[in-house]
Amino acid sequence: MMNSKEQRFGAKDRAALLEGMQRGELDVLVVGGGITGAGIALDAASRGLRTAVVDMQDFAAGTSSRSTKLVHGGLRYLKQLEIGVVAEVGKERAIVYENGPHVTTPEWMLLPIYKGGTFGRFSTSLGLRVYDFLAGVKRSERRKMLSAEETLKRAPLLKRDGIKGGGYYVEYRTDDARLTIEVMKKAAEYGAYAVNYAKVESFRYDANGKLTGARIVDLLSGEGYEVRAAVIVNATGPWVDRLREIDGSKQGKTLRLTKGIHLVFDQSRFPLHQAIYFDTPDGRMVFAIPRDGKTYVGTTDTDYTGDTANPRMTAEDLAYVLNAANFMFPSLKLTERDVESSWAGLRPLIQQEGKDPSEISRRDEIFVSPSGLVSIAGGKLTGYRKMAENVVNSVLERLVREGRATQTPCKTKQIPISGGDVGGSDRYPQFVKEAAAKGVRSGFAEDEAQLIASRYGSNAERIFALEPEARKLADRHGMPLGLAARLLYAIESEMTVKPEDFFIRRTGQLFFDIASVRQWKKPVIDAMAELLGWTDERKREYAESLDQKLHAAVEPA
C-alpha cells in the first residue's frame, strides 16, 4: 500500500513524476542523484518539504557507485590530524549501519605493521585507541593489537619479511550504489519526486537575479519541463562547478577532481579471507577486500581532467595497483591477465593549493551563490546523512525567513532506509533466515532466496511475491527465476531504465560477477525490451552501451 504522499519509483513512472514536478512550486529541487543528493532528498521530504531530485545519468552513476565501497571511520584522517572529521564520520557510520544493515556490514580490517613502514607498533596502537574513542566505537569492535604470528595466521599471503605485527579494527563494508538507491526509494516514500536521466538544461531567474526554477529535459524522450522551486541545491559531485558555471557563480573555491581505480580478482587467484589496509612503497594506503567470492584492491589517487562521466583505468593505474598488490602479497605474482574487472571513480575535492591529491581534505563545504544556488562540495560517503542535515538546515532557514515553511528538526537518524525495516542490526541475521525460508516456500532455489533476502532486506517479500510473473518471464527468455524476479523488481520499484543500470548499480554484477553479465546479457536485454517497449534501434543502442561498459571494465584506456 502506498501512503498518501508516497511517489512511485518505477521506470514507467518517469514522465508522470516529471509532470508532477511541474505542478505548483517545489520547496527544494535537488540536482544530482548520488548519495549526497539522495540524502538531501530524504531529509527534506521527511521534514515535510515538497522535494524533487533529478540526475542526468542514472542514480549513483557517478562517484556513488565507484568508491572503495566502505562506510569507513576515517583512520587516514587521524594521520592528517583531522580530528573533527574522524569524530563525525565514526559516529555517522554506526547510524548508516543501523538504518540499513542489508547494505552495510561490519568488517574487521587488518593493518599490518612492518619495519620501516608508515605505521609503527606504538603509533598504530595509540592511533587506533584515539580512533575508537573519537568514533565512539562499541566495546565489541574496539581495536586489538596482534603479534607477527597472529597477523600472518589471519592473512598468510602477507609479505613475511620485516613484519612486526598488526592492528585489528572494524570498518564497515557497503554496496555504495544500492545504499544510494535505497535512500532514494525512502525519499520517494516520503513524497519526493525522483527521476534519473533528466538533465537541468538552464536556470530561471526573477527580475532581481534570484533563482526561481529550472528547465529540465528528459534525456530518454526529449520532452522538456519547466519546474519552479524556492531553493535549488547543486549536489552534482564532480559536476558541481559545471552547474555553478551555468549559474554564472563559479568563483572562490573550486573543485579538484582526483581519480581512484579498483581491480577485481577471483578468489581462486587471490584467496583473501581477511580485509587488509596496507601501505605501498611510496607511502600511500591501499585496501584489499574479500567480497562475494572475489578480492578487490584499490585505490589510486591521481589528478583527473578527462571525461567526467566516463573515467577509465589507464595502463599506469593498472600497473600501480598490481605492483602494490604484488609488493604486499609477493607469492601471488598477479598479472594483468588475472584482473577480471575494474572500476574507476572520481573524488570531487575542494581545491587546496600545494597539496598532493591524497593529502587534500575530504571535508564538505556549502557555497551559496548570489542567485541563491546552494552547492555542496567535498565530503565522503560515510558522512552523507550529516551533510544532508546541514544542507537542509540551511535551506530551511531561508524558507522559514521567507515565510514558506516552519522550522522542523532533522529526523533521519531514526529513519531506516528502504529495505532496512528488519528490526535493527542485531535482529538482521534472524530476519534473513526467516525471509529466505519464505522465498524457498514461494518457489525460489535456496541460494536465490538467500541472496534476495540478504541483499534486499525488508523488500525481499515484494520480490518473492513477483514469483508467478517472474517465472513466466524466466521461461520466455531462458534465464534463472531469481534473476528474472530481481529484474522485474528493479524495473517496477527501482527505476531501472537501461541494462547497465541493472548490471552495474542494482546488482553490482559487472564488477563482482562479470562472467554472469556476459552469460545473461542477451536474455536480460530481450526481457527489458519486451517490458519497456523499446524500439529495435533503442535496444541496439543500449546493448552497445553495455558492451562498452564491459570492455572498459577489463581494458585500460
Side-chain angles (χ1 to χ4, degrees):
M1 273 290 291
M2 290 177 72
N3 65 43
S4 59
K5 286 179 70 179
E6 184 174 350
Q7 299 296 344
R8 297 195 65 85
F9 195 71
K12 292 180 180 176
D13 302 313
R14 294 174 63 264
L17 288 166
L18 286 162
E19 281 161 19
M21 284 180 206
Q22 281 194 132
R23 287 195 292 272
E25 185 185 44
L26 298 168
D27 293 313
V28 190
L29 171 63
V30 184
V31 189
I35 190 61
T36 308
I40 294 166
L42 173 56
D43 192 314
S46 64
R47 296 202 216 187
L49 298 178
R50 190 163 187 263
T51 305
V53 56
V54 293
D55 195 297
M56 66 175 184
Q57 301 186 106
D58 183 28
F59 301 119
T63 302
S64 297
S65 58
R66 302 159 184 254
S67 72
T68 306
K69 307 189 187 300
L70 290 174
V71 177
H72 59 82
L75 182 62
R76 63 178 289 183
Y77 312 118
L78 188 61
K79 194 175 159 190
Q80 295 165 5
L81 298 178
E82 294 204 38
I83 304 299
V85 176
V86 177
E88 186 169 289
V89 298
K91 291 183 177 74
E92 277 302 309
R93 70 180 186 172
I95 298 167
V96 174
Y97 172 46
E98 229 19 81
N99 287 338
H102 61 306
V103 285
T104 302
T105 186
E107 171 105 41
W108 280 93
M109 186 72 65
L110 178 60
L111 180 68
I113 300 164
Y114 285 89
K115 188 178 178 183
T118 304
F119 292 92
R121 194 172 173 81
F122 174 73
S123 63
T124 300
S125 176
L126 181 64
L128 288 174
R129 180 172 289 186
V130 171
Y131 173 77
D132 282 350
F133 170 74
L134 288 172
V137 174
K138 55 188 176 188
R139 189 175 294 276
S140 63
E141 295 182 358
R142 287 182 190 161
R143 69 95 174 90
K144 303 173 174 73
M145 295 305 295
L146 307 177
S147 67
E149 292 73 29
E150 289 170 318
T151 302
L152 289 169
K153 192 175 174 186
R154 281 189 167 86
L157 292 173
L158 280 171
K159 175 168 67 101
R160 291 170 178 262
D161 187 29
I163 194 161
K164 295 167 75 175
Y168 204 46
Y169 68 104
V170 168
E171 288 284 25
Y172 285 66
R173 184 161 55 84
T174 193
D175 183 325
D176 50 3
R178 285 218 58 83
L179 173 65
T180 303
I181 296 294
E182 300 291 36
V183 174
M184 197 70 85
K185 282 155 67 181
K186 196 67 181 182
E189 278 181 43
Y190 275 94
Y193 299 87
V195 181
N196 53 5
Y197 298 104
K199 183 178 183 178
V200 168
E201 204 172 60
S202 56
F203 289 131
R204 299 289 181 260
Y205 301 86
D206 66 14
N208 299 315
K210 299 294 181 187
L211 270 176
T212 59
R215 177 175 169 77
I216 294 168
V217 175
D218 179 349
L219 296 180
L220 303 185
S221 69
E223 286 290 315
Y225 299 84
E226 293 293 335
V227 175
R228 290 182 295 126
V231 183
I232 297 179
V233 176
N234 172 13
T236 54
W239 291 270
V240 158
D241 280 352
R242 178 78 195 99
L243 229 64
R244 290 167 82 201
E245 282 169 8
I246 293 173
D247 182 53
S249 60
K250 184 186 160 188
Q251 54 201 29
K253 290 186 177 177
T254 56
L255 287 193
R256 177 172 176 181
L257 301 184
T258 74
K259 184 181 71 172
I261 75 123
H262 297 78
L263 306 180
V264 181
F265 304 87
D266 191 73
Q267 280 272 342
S268 62
R269 191 64 187 84
F270 196 151
L272 190 71
H273 302 291
Q274 163 68 61
I276 296 175
Y277 188 35
F278 61 95
D279 53 353
T280 60
D282 64 3
R284 272 197 46 72
M285 299 299 297
V286 170
F287 289 97
I289 300 171
R291 173 177 159 165
D292 300 338
K294 308 294 175 186
T295 296
Y296 69 95
V297 186
T299 175
T300 54
D301 210 347
T302 51
D303 282 316
Y304 185 77
T305 54
D307 176 4
T308 314
N310 297 293
R312 290 274 304 274
M313 161 184 74
T314 63
E316 290 79 11
D317 296 329
L318 176 61
Y320 180 89
V321 176
L322 278 173
N323 288 339
N326 284 325
F327 169 74
M328 191 49 65
F329 307 97
S331 64
L332 293 176
K333 298 181 171 51
L334 298 166
T335 71
E336 290 178 28
R337 287 190 301 280
D338 298 313
V339 178
E340 281 198 352
S341 186
S342 73
W343 68 88
L346 301 180
R347 301 175 196 86
L349 307 176
I350 297 162
Q351 184 77 266
Q352 287 174 277
E353 292 307 325
K355 289 207 171 186
D356 287 334
S358 57
E359 295 174 332
I360 298 177
S361 169
R362 264 55 174 176
R363 281 185 181 282
D364 54 279
E365 286 192 44
I366 297 169
F367 312 129
V368 182
S369 80
S371 71
L373 178 68
V374 178
S375 297
I376 173 86
K380 291 186 54 53
L381 174 72
T382 311
Y384 87 86
R385 192 205 65 83
K386 192 71 187 169
M387 284 161 62
E389 181 181 343
N390 293 338
V391 170
V392 178
N393 283 347
S394 164
V395 166
L396 204 52
E397 266 174 42
R398 190 198 304 183
L399 293 175
V400 168
R401 208 166 48 239
E402 294 171 359
R404 295 171 183 261
T406 52
Q407 192 59 256
T408 318
C410 174
K411 302 183 174 90
T412 53
K413 253 187 192 178
Q414 280 80 40
I415 296 178
I417 61 175
S418 183
D421 293 299
V422 296
S425 60
D426 290 344
R427 171 92 177 78
Y428 176 62
Q430 185 60 26
F431 172 89
V432 171
K433 197 174 168 184
E434 290 166 9
K438 284 182 193 168
V440 170
R441 288 197 296 275
S442 298
F444 290 81
E446 202 166 317
D447 59 338
E448 289 178 329
Q450 177 69 29
L451 183 143
I452 290 167
S454 60
R455 195 163 293 178
Y456 294 85
S458 53
N459 289 321
E461 280 196 46
R462 294 178 63 183
I463 300 176
F464 296 144
L466 294 169
E467 189 273 340
E469 195 185 340
R471 192 169 290 282
K472 289 175 192 161
L473 189 72
D475 290 345
R476 280 200 303 277
H477 295 286
M479 67 170 91
L481 174 63
L483 184 67
R486 287 195 291 152
L487 180 62
L488 272 175
Y489 178 75
I491 291 169
E492 291 175 9
S493 301
E494 295 189 331
M495 208 172 281
T496 298
V497 173
K498 300 181 182 182
E500 64 200 59
D501 302 340
F502 180 69
F503 282 127
I504 299 176
R505 290 168 289 276
R506 305 302 183 276
T507 67
Q509 283 171 249
L510 192 131
F511 299 150
F512 295 105
D513 190 7
I514 198 167
S516 75
V517 182
R518 295 189 182 107
Q519 182 178 4
W520 301 115
K521 66 178 183 176
K522 187 180 184 307
V524 164
I525 289 168
D526 288 346
M528 288 186 77
E530 174 201 316
L531 293 165
L532 294 171
W534 292 344
T535 61
D536 288 346
E537 187 184 355
R538 178 149 286 190
K539 183 177 172 182
R540 196 160 46 246
E541 176 197 331
Y542 289 169
E544 283 171 8
S545 181
L546 179 62
D547 283 340
Q548 284 165 9
K549 296 288 188 290
L550 281 162
H551 178 78
V554 292
E555 293 295 331

